């Protein structure tokens, strides 16, 4: 459809006007060196997950007080057990740095008046290397001073799940990546508590046999190949949320009115054990097939993919988090036991250039990995 943009086809950032950055910091590591009084903090530590043959670790480094001191960050080193494994500088640093965000809390004296930066970190290590015991950081400033610290323990044990949908040509249009700002930077602030439930979220859409997302002009939900697809339990679990009755929007930009309570539209959340929760958003109204308290089995149909809530085109928003609230919890990485990688296509290629997707490589079997932003895959 002529004139489509990323904003048109995908939901707007969750909680627009409600999102900020805040977090109670007591108990988190903080040290500084030559850059006197610059605290470095990692409120929620990383968990290792495999992605395209590498071990990746997604988390956030908070750098306080640099703004009020007139210091700009020129480089950041990430150290694994004392050895530098990733350096952010230049254009990559600018792309991964959020500046001048809201204070952590009214009581946090060291962070006042929009006075800190956040580095969106995504170091990739050799998959065969041992999992580091901790990451630490070295932040270089434009005046030559250096701050060190932000030590954080690294966790192992990624959640292994079945896919939430099945079939050929599923497209991770907003998938796990450090450059997916749609989810990666969506930090929700409620009562001075910040969480990123969507840290590793994926928006799944389906490409048709013609390599496109929809037929016709894309102004009806039924135009989209993914519309009405079965949504499947990714593991045995218990239903803790089953919302229904929220209307669908009209593509591409008339999404249903939303509040913080109904951003996900019709939705299902499963408790899949070990402090893991699987969230499914934007179901077709009237199609939710489970109820709160019901035990479900892996592969069981939960409902139908739709366009309800904060959405501008049919898709499945899916993520794993460490708490039962789909927004006010921390996002965790996940991996599929197996899937076939069929290729990839960018949003700009699909909409800006009007290209249709065609396979670019023979199918590759990927095992125990998390798909990547804009990959096209077969899920089974």
């Amino acid at each position: 459809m002529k004139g489509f943009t990323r904003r048109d086809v995908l939901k707007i950032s969750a909680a627009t006007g409600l999102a900020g950055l805040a977090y109670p910091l007591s108990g988190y590591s903080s040290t500084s060196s030559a850059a006197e009084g610059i605290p470095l903090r990692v409120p929620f530590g990383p968990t290792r997950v495999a992605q395209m043959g590498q071990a990746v670790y997604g988390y956030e480094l908070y750098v306080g007080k640099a703004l009020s001191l007139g210091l700009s960050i020129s480089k950041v080193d990430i150290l694994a057990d004392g050895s530098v494994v990733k350096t952010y500088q230049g254009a990559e640093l600018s792309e991964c740095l959020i500046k001048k965000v809201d204070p952590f809390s009214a009581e946090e004296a060291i962070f006042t008046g929009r006075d800190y930066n956040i580095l969106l970190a995504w170091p990739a290590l050799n998959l065969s290397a041992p999992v580091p015991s901790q990451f630490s950081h070295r932040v270089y400033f434009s005046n030559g001073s250096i701050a060190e610290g932000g030590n954080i323990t690294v966790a192992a044990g990624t959640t292994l799940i079945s896919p939430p949908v099945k079939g050929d040509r599923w497209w991770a249009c907003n998938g796990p990546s450090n450059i997916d700002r749609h989810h990666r930077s969506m930090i929700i602030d409620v009562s001075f508590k910040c969480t990123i439930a969507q840290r590793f979220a994926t928006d799944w859409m389906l490409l048709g046999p013609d390599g496109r997302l929809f037929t016709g002009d894309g102004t009806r939900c039924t135009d989209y190949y993914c519309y009405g697809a079965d949504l499947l339990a990714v593991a045995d679990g218990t239903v803790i949320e089953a919302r229904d009755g929220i209307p669908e929007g009209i593509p591409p930009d008339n999404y249903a009115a939303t509040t913080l309570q109904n951003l996900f539209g019709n939705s299902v959340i499963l408790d899949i054990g070990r402090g893991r929760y699987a969230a499914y958003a934007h179901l077709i109204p009237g199609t939710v097939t489970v109820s709160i308290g019901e035990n479900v089995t892996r592969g069981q149909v939960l409902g139908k993919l739709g366009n309800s809530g904060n959405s501008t085109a049919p898709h499945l928003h899916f993520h794993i988090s460490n708490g039962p609230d789909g927004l006010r919890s921390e996002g965790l990485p996940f991996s599929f036991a197996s899937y076939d990688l069929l290729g990839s296509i960018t949003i700009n290629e699909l909409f800006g250039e009007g290209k249709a997707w065609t396979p670019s490589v023979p199918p590759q079997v990927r095992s125990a990995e998390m798909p990547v932003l804009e990959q096209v895959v077969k899920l089974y």
Side-chain angles (χ1 to χ4, degrees):
M1 180 177 178
K2 185 176 180 180
F4 261 90
T5 66
R6 184 185 186 95
R7 164 63 175 76
D8 291 328
V9 72
L10 303 173
K11 64 186 180 182
I12 61 170
S13 294
T16 298
L18 300 173
L21 285 151
Y23 210 106
L25 292 178
S26 58
Y28 294 108
S29 171
S30 172
T31 60
S32 62
S33 59
E36 186 65 30
I38 299 293
L40 306 181
R41 317 218 179 178
V42 179
F44 189 78
T47 298
R48 174 187 183 273
V49 65
Q51 200 174 47
M52 292 305 294
Q54 294 182 306
V56 298
Y57 303 81
Y59 66 99
E60 299 77 45
L61 171 68
Y62 293 69
V63 181
K65 294 192 73 175
L67 296 172
S68 64
L69 294 175
L71 300 176
S72 61
I73 298 172
S74 58
K75 186 172 76 168
V76 178
D77 287 335
I78 297 177
L79 297 84
D81 296 332
S83 299
V84 175
V85 294
K86 173 66 179 177
T87 296
Y88 286 95
Q89 59 187 336
E92 186 180 23
L93 175 64
S94 297
E95 185 177 46
C96 296
L97 200 62
I98 298 174
K99 300 179 180 180
K100 304 184 91 171
V101 289
D102 294 330
F104 279 107
S105 72
E107 296 77 29
E108 183 63 42
I110 63 171
F111 291 123
T112 58
R114 308 175 73 83
D115 192 16
Y116 59 95
N117 299 275
I118 298 93
L119 175 74
L120 302 177
W122 196 273
L125 279 62
N126 191 311
L127 191 60
S128 63
V131 178
S133 60
Q134 74 170 17
F135 286 132
S136 58
H137 307 84
R138 190 176 297 133
V139 179
Y140 299 79
F141 298 96
S142 53
N143 68 345
S145 61
I146 302 171
E148 296 186 69
N151 300 349
I152 191 68
T153 300
V154 177
T158 303
T159 304
L160 185 66
I161 59 172
S162 297
V165 289
K166 288 188 177 180
D168 278 323
R169 302 183 305 275
W170 281 99
W171 181 49
C173 51
N174 286 316
S177 166
N178 209 36
I179 60 172
D180 170 29
R181 289 298 174 271
H182 183 68
H183 292 133
R184 184 70 179 90
S185 61
M186 189 40 56
I187 304 174
I188 303 297
D189 170 17
V190 178
S191 300
F192 296 117
K193 179 177 176 60
C194 139
T195 55
I196 314 181
Q198 303 176 68
R199 184 179 284 111
F200 302 99
T202 306
D203 286 341
W204 290 106
M205 301 181 79
L206 184 64
L207 293 164
D210 59 358
R212 303 185 185 279
L213 293 173
F214 55 83
T215 60
D217 62 4
T219 59
R220 294 170 295 275
C221 289
T222 53
D223 288 346
Y224 290 78
Y225 289 108
C226 62
Y227 189 72
D230 287 339
L231 306 183
L232 310 174
V234 297
D236 296 347
T238 302
V239 179
I240 63 168
E241 177 175 295
R243 304 196 66 187
D244 207 340
I246 298 173
E248 294 185 295
I250 302 171
D253 54 8
N254 293 322
Y255 55 91
T258 55
T259 65
L260 188 60
Q261 287 69 42
N262 69 0
L263 287 170
F264 283 179
N266 306 309
S267 56
V268 173
I269 298 180
L270 304 179
D271 179 347
I272 59 174
R274 298 185 300 114
R276 267 64 170 170
Y277 299 83
Y280 305 71
H282 311 311
L283 281 66
I284 298 174
T287 70
V288 177
T289 61
V290 293
S291 56
I292 293 175
E294 181 178 344
N295 293 325
V296 299
T297 58
R298 185 185 300 267
Q300 181 175 333
V301 175
L302 307 174
K304 302 284 188 181
L305 184 153
N307 191 42
S308 59
N310 190 30
S311 175
T312 57
H315 69 282
L316 167 65
H317 170 99
F318 174 81
H319 70 249
I320 299 286
S321 66
N322 71 347
D325 190 304
L327 289 174
R328 288 168 286 195
S329 56
E330 295 288 4
L332 300 173
F334 59 88
S335 56
F336 296 149
S338 183
Y339 67 91
D340 291 349
L341 174 60
L342 307 179
S344 64
I345 189 167
T346 68
I347 288 175
N348 183 61
E349 287 172 331
L350 271 175
F351 299 105
E353 301 175 20
K355 287 185 178 179
W357 175 79
T358 56
S360 57
V361 295
Q364 303 174 22
V365 178
R366 311 300 307 183
S367 299
E369 289 192 347
M370 182 172 62
V372 180
L373 172 71
E374 297 175 335
Q375 284 186 336
V376 180
V377 300
K378 179 179 180 179
L379 301 174
Y380 47 84

